[in-house]
Amino acid sequence: LPQQYRWHVAVDNEFAFLRETNIGLCKKSGKSFGEVMSHFIIGLDEMCIMSNAHGTLTVIGAYEKKKHEKLLEDTRISITIVRTGTCAGTTGPTIFLLKGTKKRAAFSDTFLEKHGLAPGSTIIMTENAYMTDEAWLEVSKAIVKGYRLLPYIKENPDWYMLEFLDGFKSHENVLRANELRSKAKINSLKEESQTSHVCQGYDQQVVARTDKKNVAESLYDQRKIQQQQTAKANIDKYDLVLRYWYPHCQAMHGRNLGIIVHQSQSSSCLP
């Protein structure tokens, strides 16, 4: 209860700041800020997609044990996806974190935007495909630029916006990332650690857990489709990118990834 009180007070204070600071009429719609406020509130979250590269990994363990884990880096690949979106329903920039040092040339920012992802979307190469302080700074450079190009926000450069972040430590550790947001008039509100299950409606339901199950099943189906179409049996990190964003830009709104990736991959968008 004390944590929830702190969280709700913090949210109310930020909403009050936006209403008091963003004065005048919207340059896009001619409406007051309160009428378009949902376009200036954005949420950010990360998800990891992991796939057995060749579809052959089997874990055998005790029935009574709830969770089994084994690190097999030579047989599992993963990427991290940073997703953003406004409360008005607009999809913001999407960032993909991939393991490696050099990005495949065909997967440029222009390529991603051409096929439907929002401005600011990009692929960032990291040491292990996971979010680190260094990766968060690079992510911030891309999404801050992308935020300011979103509808309503782009037309009102003098108005502040609010970004919600979960409790991951890198979201507050990187001073330069915070400075980028400050200069762009982006206020960030981060949940306290280990509170997503009470602060996020998505995590309060079974949906988040179901998503992981759906993703695993969908990747299995996609591997079979790929093998039939191209005779390529394994899925690499760039296949995981394609299996997220192409169906995503066709059928996005209101669907979770587990449903989206069930759709067939169109060969016309392959770089």
Side-chain angles (χ1 to χ4, degrees):
L1 286 179
Q3 184 280 325
Q4 280 290 281
Y5 175 76
R6 293 193 298 271
W7 176 246
H8 284 284
V9 168
V11 172
D12 289 343
N13 288 341
E14 288 296 332
F15 284 179
F17 172 83
L18 293 180
R19 293 189 181 99
E20 294 169 1
T21 306
N22 296 342
I23 58 177
L25 298 178
C26 173
K27 296 177 182 178
K28 179 179 176 67
S29 65
K31 297 180 179 180
S32 66
F33 174 74
E35 295 175 283
V36 298
M37 182 175 173
S38 58
H39 291 277
F40 292 80
I41 302 172
I42 194 164
L44 178 150
D45 198 15
E46 296 118 354
M47 69 173 296
C48 176
I49 299 181
M50 181 175 291
S51 174
N52 173 13
H54 301 283
T56 57
L57 177 63
T58 302
V59 177
I60 301 175
Y63 173 79
E64 61 271 12
K65 188 174 181 179
K66 293 183 178 180
K67 186 174 184 180
H68 296 78
E69 290 188 352
K70 187 171 180 63
L71 181 61
L72 297 172
E73 292 187 351
D74 58 333
T75 60
R76 294 197 298 181
I77 57 172
S78 65
I79 65 173
T80 296
I81 304 173
V82 182
R83 303 177 292 179
T84 65
T86 70
C87 290
T90 304
T91 302
T94 303
I95 314 297
F96 301 93
L97 303 183
L98 275 59
K99 182 179 179 178
T101 57
K102 187 176 181 180
K103 179 172 65 175
R104 191 178 294 177
F107 284 78
S108 64
D109 298 353
T110 302
F111 174 76
L112 298 179
E113 291 183 32
K114 177 182 177 181
H115 291 285
L117 289 188
S121 298
T122 190
I123 294 174
I124 296 174
M125 308 306 293
T126 70
E127 181 180 354
N128 52 19
Y130 296 120
M131 184 63 73
T132 61
D133 288 356
E134 293 76 16
W136 179 242
L137 177 58
E138 297 304 313
V139 167
S140 297
K141 292 176 182 177
I143 61 175
V144 165
K145 175 184 175 183
Y147 283 168
R148 278 296 166 187
L149 294 175
L150 289 173
Y152 290 86
I153 298 176
K154 177 176 63 177
E155 290 82 6
N156 296 275
D158 295 329
W159 281 5
Y160 281 81
M161 60 174 292
L162 176 62
E163 173 191 46
F164 284 108
L165 304 171
D166 63 22
F168 190 65
K169 62 180 181 180
S170 289
H171 293 164
E172 64 177 348
N173 282 354
V174 186
L175 178 59
R176 289 182 60 194
N178 296 336
E179 291 174 342
L180 288 172
R181 286 168 168 77
S182 178
K183 292 178 180 178
K185 296 189 175 182
I186 301 170
N187 289 351
S188 296
L189 192 58
K190 190 186 82 70
E191 299 170 356
E192 296 178 25
S193 298
Q194 309 299 323
T195 62
S196 291
H197 63 291
V198 291
C199 291
Q200 297 181 18
Y202 183 79
D203 282 343
Q204 289 175 5
Q205 304 173 9
V206 189
V207 181
R209 186 174 297 176
T210 304
D211 252 3
K212 297 178 182 179
K213 177 177 179 292
N214 289 341
V215 168
E217 293 175 351
S218 298
L219 288 173
Y220 175 76
D221 292 341
Q222 286 293 325
R223 184 183 290 108
K224 291 193 298 183
I225 293 171
Q226 177 174 274
Q227 190 168 12
Q228 292 170 358
Q229 293 179 344
T230 67
K232 181 182 177 183
N234 65 306
I235 290 180
D236 62 25
K237 56 193 175 186
Y238 290 99
D239 290 321
L240 291 179
V241 172
L242 288 171
R243 269 144 185 78
Y244 171 78
W245 73 262
Y246 181 72
H248 168 93
C249 71
Q250 281 195 321
M252 170 63 192
H253 229 51
R255 299 191 181 187
N256 64 47
L257 179 65
I259 297 175
I260 292 168
V261 296
H262 266 295
Q263 302 180 21
S264 298
Q265 173 65 45
S266 170
S267 59
S268 63
C269 84
L270 295 174

